[in-house]
């Protein structure tokens, strides 16, 4: 979240009689916030800019590194999304699961999520939660990342370059100190002392090196959750997103009713079956656009019936047209 919006949210919390930081809310305070519809709507207005899902962030403010702390109270805002840059998330608090493509992980404090460009991901909240999802988010441009990778070809960097994703667990290991590096970066970015950006870039380079060490330890690797029915369906969508996918055909394939399938997505992910399919198609469409495919080819290759349907879905999800997105990614520094 941008710093100006974070400050506005802190002011709203103060109006509600909450003077401490959002990541230390008690269950009673969280329940109070959830019942205050006016306050909730104000926070929603900050998170939604011009009707756009905030978490569908398309570009970085810096050509190299961005970092910020974020706290979520409203699960439905965190939809399936991807980025054109590397995203590394340090989880401070929260009782959630995390979906990366078709793999699902259970998250705890101290876990680190590493997501390369173009990879679909989103948190999954339980039906009832009393703990805010607090994390430090680090965005690294492909230009910066590949510069580091060219001189430090360790295992972590090479795997991320190959578009693989990982989740590391630091709690109970010798790598618990990594949280301090994330917090140091946020402090530099928020205080903006002289040469803060140089310090942030150096801190990020050091963090990548330490993450590489942590990745080489089997103790830090987080196992994938045991597959449930919805995981099998998500895998099916991942493989067949370019084909015609209907609720009826999918329900028949997995031997369940259409109503059961619809309820499964609504209860587990908070969105409809068709919304999930569309989001997955749009994530791949961004990759096609970045690779230079024509708009018509992109639409058909990603499962849309024609360009107009693709245009409407893209504009609704990201707030800009596919052609505007192409112009934006062309202006990004080389290194993609």
């Amino acid at each position: 979240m941008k710093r100006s919006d974070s400050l506005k949210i802190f002011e709203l919390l103060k109006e509600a009689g909450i003077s401490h930081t959002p990541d230390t809310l008690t269950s009673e305070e969280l329940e109070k916030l959830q019942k205050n519809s006016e306050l909730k709507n104000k926070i929603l207005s900050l998170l939604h800019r011009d009707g756009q899902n905030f978490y569908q962030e398309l570009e970085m403010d810096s050509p190299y590194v961005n970092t910020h702390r974020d706290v979520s109270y409203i699960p439905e805002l965190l939809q399936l999304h991807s980025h054109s840059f590397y995203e590394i998330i340090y989880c401070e608090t929260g009782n959630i699961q995390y979906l990366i493509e078709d793999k699902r992980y259970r998250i705890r404090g101290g876990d680190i999520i590493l997501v390369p460009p173009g990879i679909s991901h989103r948190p999954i909240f339980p039906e009832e939660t009393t703990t805010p999802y607090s994390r430090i988010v680090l965005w690294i441009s492909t230009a910066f990342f590949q510069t580091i990778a060219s001189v430090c070809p360790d295992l972590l960097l090479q795997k991320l370059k190959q578009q693989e994703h990982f989740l590391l667990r630091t709690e109970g290991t010798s790598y618990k100190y990594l949280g301090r590096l994330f917090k140091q970066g946020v402090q530099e970015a928020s205080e903006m002392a002289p040469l803060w950006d140089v310090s942030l870039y150096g801190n990020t380079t050091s963090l990548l090196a330490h993450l590489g060490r942590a990745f080489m330890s089997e103790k830090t690797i987080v196992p994938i959750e045991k597959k449930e029915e919805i995981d099998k369906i998500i895998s099916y969508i991942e493989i067949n997103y370019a084909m015609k996918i209907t609720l009826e055909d999918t329900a028949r394939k997995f031997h369940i009713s259409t109503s059961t399938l619809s309820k499964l997505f609504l209860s587990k992910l908070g969105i409809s079956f068709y919304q999930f399919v569309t989001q997955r198609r749009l994530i791949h469409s961004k990759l096609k656009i970045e690779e230079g495919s024509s708009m018509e080819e992109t639409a058909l290759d990603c499962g849309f019936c024609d360009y107009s349907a693709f245009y409407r879905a893209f504009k609704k999800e990201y707030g800009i047209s596919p052609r505007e997105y192409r112009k934006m990614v062309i202006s990004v520094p080389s290194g993609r």
Side-chain angles (χ1 to χ4, degrees):
M1 181 184 301
K2 296 187 183 298
R3 188 168 181 264
S4 59
D5 288 343
S6 296
L7 292 174
K8 291 177 183 177
I9 290 179
F10 291 156
E11 290 299 320
L12 290 173
L13 292 175
K14 288 181 181 179
E15 291 179 15
I18 300 171
S19 59
H20 50 81
T21 56
D23 54 315
T24 58
L25 288 177
T26 65
S27 58
E28 291 78 12
E29 289 169 335
L30 183 59
E31 185 177 356
K32 179 181 178 181
L33 285 176
Q34 291 171 333
K35 290 181 178 179
N36 189 331
S37 58
E38 182 179 357
L39 179 60
K40 178 178 178 180
N41 288 335
K42 287 181 179 179
I43 293 176
L44 278 170
S45 68
L46 290 172
L47 293 175
H48 282 74
R49 298 175 297 182
D50 299 325
Q52 178 185 348
N53 184 347
F54 173 81
Y55 294 93
Q56 299 288 18
E57 198 71 51
L58 295 178
E59 60 181 336
M60 296 169 54
D61 293 331
S62 162
Y64 304 115
V65 177
N66 284 155
T67 186
H68 56 277
R69 176 178 275 106
D70 220 344
V71 184
S72 295
Y73 309 97
I74 307 168
E76 62 269 20
L77 291 174
L78 303 174
Q79 304 291 1
L80 190 73
H81 62 284
S82 69
H83 304 292
S84 59
F85 42 82
Y86 291 85
E87 182 173 52
I88 303 179
I89 304 170
Y90 176 74
C91 301
E92 297 181 297
T93 63
N95 176 30
I96 66 167
Q97 294 183 348
Y98 216 93
L99 180 67
I100 306 179
E101 291 192 322
D102 60 347
K103 298 177 178 61
R104 188 166 44 86
Y105 303 88
R106 187 168 297 278
I107 304 300
R108 65 175 66 164
D111 284 356
I112 299 171
I113 303 166
L114 307 103
V115 188
I119 298 296
S120 63
H121 59 286
R122 60 157 290 176
I124 303 174
F125 288 75
E127 292 184 8
E128 295 183 6
T129 179
T130 58
T131 305
Y133 170 36
S134 176
R135 68 274 192 200
I136 294 174
V137 182
L138 180 65
W139 290 344
I140 304 174
S141 71
T142 55
F144 184 91
F145 183 90
Q146 295 198 21
T147 297
I148 302 301
S150 67
V151 296
C152 304
D154 61 54
L155 186 59
L156 172 72
L157 296 174
Q158 288 303 316
K159 290 293 185 182
L160 284 177
K161 281 183 67 177
Q162 295 166 14
Q163 301 290 287
E164 297 185 24
H165 52 259
F166 301 95
L167 192 146
L168 301 177
R169 176 151 294 158
T170 64
E171 188 65 35
T173 74
S174 59
Y175 297 100
K176 189 177 179 179
Y177 69 88
L178 287 173
R180 295 199 301 271
L181 293 176
F182 283 94
K183 293 173 184 177
Q184 183 175 331
V186 167
Q187 183 176 351
E188 289 287 354
S190 60
E191 294 181 354
M192 299 184 70
L195 299 177
W196 68 271
D197 48 354
V198 177
S199 180
L200 175 59
Y201 303 155
N203 185 73
T204 301
T205 302
S206 177
L207 178 57
L208 287 173
H210 286 274
L211 285 171
R213 293 175 183 174
F215 178 72
M216 296 177 190
S217 171
E218 293 183 359
K219 295 181 180 179
T220 63
I221 304 301
V222 179
I224 300 170
E225 287 287 286
K226 184 179 179 181
K227 280 191 176 292
E228 299 177 0
E229 190 69 27
I230 193 168
D231 298 310
K232 300 173 185 177
I233 299 171
I234 289 173
S235 294
Y236 170 75
I237 295 170
E238 285 283 337
I239 296 170
N240 298 283
Y241 66 86
M243 310 297 290
K244 182 179 179 181
I245 299 178
T246 68
L247 183 71
E248 293 75 17
D249 289 345
T250 306
R252 191 178 304 113
K253 178 176 179 61
F254 290 93
H255 309 290
I256 56 178
S257 67
T258 54
S259 62
T260 298
L261 179 56
S262 295
K263 290 176 182 177
L264 188 62
F265 273 78
L266 287 172
S267 63
K268 295 291 186 180
L269 301 180
I271 59 174
S272 72
F273 171 81
Y274 283 114
Q275 279 180 294
F276 185 88
V277 172
T278 299
Q279 287 175 353
R280 187 63 194 89
R281 285 171 169 166
L282 288 173
I283 286 170
H284 191 72
S285 77
K286 290 194 295 181
L287 292 175
K288 295 284 290 183
I289 291 172
E290 292 167 22
E291 291 168 357
S293 297
S294 71
M295 295 301 163
E296 292 72 17
E297 180 185 0
T298 297
L300 295 178
D301 286 353
C302 294
F304 295 94
C305 58
D306 53 35
Y307 175 71
S308 62
F310 168 53
Y311 174 91
R312 290 192 300 271
F314 197 99
K315 180 83 172 181
K316 181 179 179 181
E317 189 75 9
Y318 303 125
I320 63 174
S321 72
R323 297 186 192 280
E324 288 172 328
Y325 180 71
R326 166 166 284 170
K327 291 180 181 178
M328 186 187 76
V329 296
I330 289 175
S331 67
V332 172
S334 62
R336 187 179 305 283

